[in-house]
Amino acid sequence: MTDATYSELLGAIDEFAGRLDPHEQVACLYGLIAPLLDRVEQEDEELSDEPVLSTPEAVRGIRKAAAGEPTTSTRSMSS
C-alpha cells in the first residue's frame, strides 16, 4: 500500500464498510482495530482523570460489544 493520509485511510475504510451489512461492518471494523486494542489492553493507565473503567476493562467491553455480548459493568457509573 502506498503512503496515505489518515483521512484518506478513513475514507477508504468507510467506503468499504458502507457496502457491508451492519453485522459485517462491526466484525470488519473490529478486525481492523483488534491489534491496537491488544496493545492498549496491556497498558495499565487510566483513561481519564476520573476513571469508571480501567483500560483493560474498557478494551474487554469493546470486544464484548463487537461480539454482540452484553457489556454491563459491575462498577457504578456515578461518583
Side-chain angles (χ1 to χ4, degrees):
M1 177 177 225
T2 61
D3 290 338
T5 66
Y6 182 71
S7 61
E8 290 170 337
L9 289 172
L10 288 178
I13 290 168
D14 185 48
E15 182 181 331
F16 175 76
R19 295 185 216 137
L20 304 172
D21 74 51
H23 296 293
E24 289 176 319
Q25 287 179 8
V26 172
C28 177
L29 296 175
Y30 177 76
L32 290 171
I33 66 168
L36 299 173
L37 290 174
D38 290 340
R39 281 200 311 247
V40 169
E41 186 177 24
Q42 299 306 312
E43 297 175 11
D44 196 21
E45 297 178 19
E46 296 176 352
L47 294 176
S48 70
D49 292 338
E50 298 178 34
V52 174
L53 297 173
S54 70
T55 300
E57 289 172 325
V59 170
R60 285 190 290 272
I62 292 169
R63 286 192 173 122
K64 283 184 170 185
E69 298 175 17
T71 58
T72 56
S73 173
T74 57
R75 290 190 178 186
S76 171
M77 295 297 279
S78 60
S79 301

